[in-house]
Amino acid sequence: MCQSSSQRSYLKGYHDRPQGPAQRPEVCALGAGNATLCRGRVVRVPAGSLVRVVGTELVIPCNVSDYDGPSEQNFDWSFSASGSSFVELASTWEAGFPAPQYRERLQRGDILLRRTANDAVELHIKNVQHSDQGHYKCSTPSTDATVQGNYEDTVQVKVLPDALRVAASPQPAPGPSLREGEPFELWCSASSSSPLHTHLALQWEVRRGPARRSILSLTHEGRFRPGPGYEQRYRGGDVRLDTVGSDGYRLAVSRALSSDQGSYRCIVSEWIGEQGNWQEIQEKAVDVATVVIQPTVLRAAVARNVSVAEGKDLGLACNITTDRTDDVRPEVTWSFSRMPDSTLPGSRVLARLDRDSLVHGSPHVALSHTDARSYHLLVRDVSKENVGYYFCHVALWTPGYNRSWHKVAEAVSAPAAVTVTWLEPDYQVYLNASKVPEFSDDLTELECRIVDVKNPEASVRFTVSWYYRVNRRNDDVVASELLAVMNGDWTVKYGERSKQRAREGDFIFSKEHPDTFNFRIQRTTEEDRGNYYCVVSAWTKQRNSSWVKSKDVFSKPINIFWALEDSVLVVKARQPKPFFAAGNTFEMTCKVSSKNIKSPRYSVLITAEKPVGDLSSPNETKYIISLDQDSVVKLENWTDASRVDGVVLEKVQEDEFRYRMYQTQVSDAGLYRCVVTAWSPVRGSLWREAATSLSNPIEIDFQTSGPIFNASVHSDTPSVIRGDLIKLFCIITVEGAALDPDDMAFDVSWFAVHSFGLDKAPVLLSSLDRKGIVNTAQRDWKSSLSLERMSVLEFLLQVHGSEDQDFGNYYCSVTPWVKSPTGSWQKEAEIQSKPVFITVKMDVLNAFKYPLLIGVGLSTVIGLLSCLIGYCSSHWCCKKEVQETRRERRRLMSMEMD
């Protein structure tokens, strides 16, 4: 691709300017079809030629491709009438660039440059003259280091004389006004005597105020195109565009609509085709006529206020008034609404008569055409649900082209207010409390009864709603809480307050009789105190078998209340007989009195505490025996196996209990009390704890000067070697009064703490009771135990085959038994000896004797076995035959001879 001579000269002229450095032209190549293809910057103007008419405006765009500079690109325009020599026309960067003959037009603004982007500009020539025909060249100066592409482009402009003639047709225009549905036509003539072959395009538009709308157009390619909103009317044939003769164009509307009112214009444009591209060379318009559409008068009237008795028929008439006498068909629709405005949501259609005189209704609603301008609505068997507002909607339709219909008028009547008079049931509601609670957990039963019923009907049923309102001492307004409500279909819904308790069966709502409703609280709590009232609702059955609430009657409230007083429970213990010595029978009675406890029953627990000053078991309370509210006796922590039947607890009266302990022991000394709990019945067989009280203490104190026992432990072998015998002696000493050996007996138990200190729990080794029965605990090692009585006051514990685990502190625990003068055995306080530490040592000689013997024996056997293996290996496995090589005696002999 190469550069043309004109391009080279143009570039040379600009390269000589001082703005840029010297440039080096770049070789171009010829592409397919001898098209000039250059890389880099490309200046473009519209391809082909531009055609304009004298007096119109010429706009030539020019842009530069592949330009990404941040500043604006400069453009120069030149003109040539023949295409050979160009005259400067305009420039975007040099004021003195234009030739003198164009400067005046530039100053007037007839020629101007309008920049559209950094790399694009438009040349505008207003009021094109015939002398403006020629070639226009768009050039851009280059400041690039290298020349890439083409920096100019040329377009040819042809100027034609104005040969387009547009005028409104002299045919008669429509009158000053038309009625909706009437036809009208508009005419327009257009022709052109251009020397070139041109095409005409025509468009009809209507102006209504500032808005313009395209109706129908005929393009330069001979195609009809309806405007927005006219597509349906065009397809139906209601709007047409016809050609009449060689230059006549007629807009025909078969049925005028109210939207057709306005000023109509005929717009004609002239087009020319160049190399398959179409150009609009000029456009002219002419006002044709103003069309006024006179609206159709239509009114609908109904009666304003109508009253009808329930169960009767409702009749309403809709009277229509209109000024149309031609072929129009009415469409009548009756609608119903609860509000006096039919446009609000909730309005529903009752019946409709369409333009084909077909009625659309329901079995209970009928619509009839009584005369030419009156339509009657009939609603049968009215009820309360028919109370509201009735509207008559009327629409007039006229037939259109191709069996279409157009609505020419529409009207809505004023609302007809309909009231239904009916005899509602008259009744009173009485609320009675058949059972009133006196305490918590008592039963509450309320009875809501319907009385003095008047005007009863078979289509009326009664339901109830229960409400609760809390009591307030001041005058504050408290909202009522819904407990339960029964609907017209007998379904019951519970409120939030009663939902859970109703599921548990604590709240029961029932209907005992047709006129009586009951509410029962099985277990009344303190939170249930307050005001209760019922609301009886009357429901009326409708035609669709549904039920509508017609009336509510409230009862007077009933206050459920009882005074809350603290439960009082007093228990008094006494000792009927004086207690003097061990072995006797101890008896204690507990008298109970209560207040503010409903139907109480009592459970009794006998406890014992050590007297003050007894340090054997301080602050320890022992439960002995109990008797529950159902008179069931249970031994609690009474562990004396010899006296299982030695304690008795019985009910003497409903509020009096007696405790007896037979053959008392010295260890029974202490403070005895009655712990009494009062129970109230709940739901029949259930009980609720109401109060608990503790009686005064009754003390058992033995004032005797008996012997004093002590215990000590002695061992002749405090340190033994493992496997030796350990002997431990528990020696009892008696101080004070001398006792016969036959009057003394002892329970002896041996304990060991296997540690150097006493930080671990003691382990029971063996025990011997006063009857001579020995019990030995199981052990995890091989040593064994034996326990025997050496004398009345001496007991021996032996550990046979002692092990390392047998070391530690050993002590004995002794419980003395003394025979009383009455012949009964009395248990004395338990005594405990001081511990003795036993050490178990290991015999080193015996410990290593057997390992040494075993080691020596094994070493001897292994050595002999090694010698035997070596001997066998050398005798059988390593024996080889050695063969001597014979020498040739002849050679030796010959050597000797030599």
Side-chain angles (χ1 to χ4, degrees), residues 180 296-302 316-324 328-335 342 349 351-355 367-369 371-376 390-398 406-414:
E180 287 188 67
T296 300
V297 177
L298 178 63
R299 288 187 294 272
V302 297
L316 296 174
C318 180
N319 299 315
I320 299 175
T321 303
T322 181
D323 60 347
R324 297 294 294 265
V328 293
R329 294 187 182 182
E331 180 182 12
V332 180
T333 303
W334 280 95
S335 61
S342 62
V349 175
R352 184 173 66 89
L353 185 140
D354 60 16
R355 57 177 175 262
L367 178 59
S368 59
H369 188 192
D371 56 35
R373 290 293 183 263
S374 181
Y375 298 87
H376 188 263
Y390 292 76
F391 301 87
C392 178
H393 301 252
V394 181
L396 295 182
W397 296 81
T398 60
H406 301 282
K407 186 187 296 185
V408 297
E410 187 174 9
V412 181
S413 69

Side-chain angles (χ1 to χ4, degrees), residues 458-754:
S459 59
V460 176
R461 62 172 52 168
F462 297 99
T463 61
V464 70
S465 301
W466 292 94
Y467 291 89
Y468 165 81
R469 186 169 57 239
V470 68
N471 289 328
R472 292 292 185 187
R473 295 182 178 179
N474 50 25
D475 297 333
D476 294 343
V477 178
V478 181
S480 299
E481 297 183 56
L482 176 66
L483 299 178
V485 58
M486 181 183 295
N487 294 324
D489 55 358
W490 307 118
T491 58
V492 178
K493 294 183 179 180
Y494 301 108
E496 293 297 328
R497 179 182 179 86
S498 61
K499 184 182 298 182
Q500 184 63 30
R501 296 181 67 180
R503 293 175 180 173
E504 296 174 354
D506 196 16
F507 282 8
I508 299 177
F509 302 92
S510 61
K511 183 178 182 181
E512 302 292 340
H513 301 286
D515 59 348
T516 305
F517 301 92
N518 295 83
F519 171 43
R520 180 179 301 171
I521 305 177
Q522 297 288 90
R523 178 185 174 187
T524 309
T525 62
E526 297 176 5
E527 290 77 11
D528 295 329
R529 298 184 304 170
N531 291 319
Y532 292 82
Y533 64 92
C534 64
V535 179
V536 176
S537 304
W539 297 74
T540 305
K541 189 175 183 180
Q542 305 301 307
R543 287 191 300 267
N544 57 359
S545 299
S546 63
W547 293 87
V548 177
K549 185 187 296 186
S550 57
K551 187 177 182 180
D552 288 332
V553 176
F554 289 71
S555 71
K556 293 183 179 179
I558 285 185
N559 187 19
I560 301 299
F561 180 81
W562 66 92
L564 289 179
E565 297 182 3
D566 294 336
S567 301
V568 178
L569 183 64
V570 178
V571 183
K572 184 176 182 181
R574 65 185 183 89
Q575 188 178 3
K577 297 180 182 180
F579 181 76
F580 53 92
N584 291 349
T585 300
F586 170 73
E587 182 177 328
M588 178 179 69
T589 60
C590 295
K591 186 72 173 179
V592 184
S593 60
S594 63
K595 187 178 180 182
N596 300 327
I597 300 177
K598 172 194 172 185
S599 304
R601 282 194 184 182
Y602 306 105
S603 62
V604 181
L605 172 65
I606 304 300
T607 64
E609 302 175 13
K610 291 299 180 180
V612 179
D614 189 350
L615 302 179
S616 59
S617 299
N619 300 327
E620 181 182 356
T621 300
K622 182 179 180 181
Y623 296 165
I624 300 176
I625 191 172
S626 64
L627 183 145
D628 64 9
Q629 65 271 22
D630 295 324
S631 300
V632 178
V633 179
K634 177 185 177 182
L635 285 176
E636 298 292 340
N637 296 330
W638 183 258
T639 57
D640 193 347
S642 62
R643 292 192 297 162
V644 175
D645 300 329
V647 290
V648 176
L649 179 60
E650 56 186 350
K651 181 192 288 186
V652 180
Q653 297 178 2
E654 287 294 330
D655 57 351
E656 185 176 355
F657 302 88
R658 180 170 57 203
Y659 169 66
R660 289 179 179 177
M661 182 167 56
Y662 301 98
Q663 297 181 357
T664 55
Q665 305 291 332
V666 176
S667 59
D668 296 330
L671 301 176
Y672 288 78
R673 301 175 187 268
C674 292
V675 180
V676 179
T677 301
W679 301 82
S680 294
V682 179
R683 299 182 184 177
S685 60
L686 300 180
W687 296 90
R688 180 180 65 87
E689 181 179 348
T692 300
S693 181
L694 187 67
S695 71
N696 56 301
I698 300 297
E699 183 178 6
I700 298 179
D701 186 15
F702 297 95
Q703 301 294 335
T704 59
S705 59
I708 300 175
F709 298 91
N710 295 313
S712 62
V713 175
H714 171 71
S715 177
D716 295 333
T717 57
S719 179
V720 298
I721 298 174
R722 187 172 61 183
D724 290 350
L725 177 65
I726 301 175
K727 292 185 177 181
L728 296 167
F729 295 92
C730 181
I731 302 173
I732 303 171
T733 58
V734 182
E735 298 178 3
L739 294 177
D740 190 336
D742 294 335
D743 294 337
M744 293 185 299
F746 302 95
D747 292 337
V748 180
S749 299
W750 282 92
F751 296 89
V753 179
H754 296 295

Side-chain angles (χ1 to χ4, degrees), residues 308-414:
V308 62
E310 185 182 15
K312 304 299 181 179
D313 294 340
L314 170 64
L316 296 174
C318 180
N319 299 315
I320 299 175
T321 303
T322 181
D323 60 347
R324 297 294 294 265
T325 59
D326 54 348
D327 186 14
V328 293
R329 294 187 182 182
E331 180 182 12
V332 180
T333 303
W334 280 95
S335 61
F336 169 80
S337 176
R338 297 289 183 185
M339 305 299 293
D341 189 356
S342 62
T343 60
L344 295 177
S347 178
R348 58 188 177 92
V349 175
L350 299 177
R352 184 173 66 89
L353 185 140
D354 60 16
R355 57 177 175 262
D356 297 326
S357 299
L358 297 179
V359 177
H360 306 273
S362 64
H364 298 283
V365 180
L367 178 59
S368 59
H369 188 192
T370 56
D371 56 35
R373 290 293 183 263
S374 181
Y375 298 87
H376 188 263
L377 174 69
L378 179 64
V379 181
R380 301 182 181 91
D381 189 18
V382 297
S383 61
K384 189 177 180 181
E385 65 179 1
N386 298 119
V387 175
Y389 298 90
Y390 292 76
F391 301 87
C392 178
H393 301 252
V394 181
L396 295 182
W397 296 81
T398 60
Y401 183 79
N402 198 14
R403 298 183 180 180
S404 62
W405 290 88
H406 301 282
K407 186 187 296 185
V408 297
E410 187 174 9
V412 181
S413 69

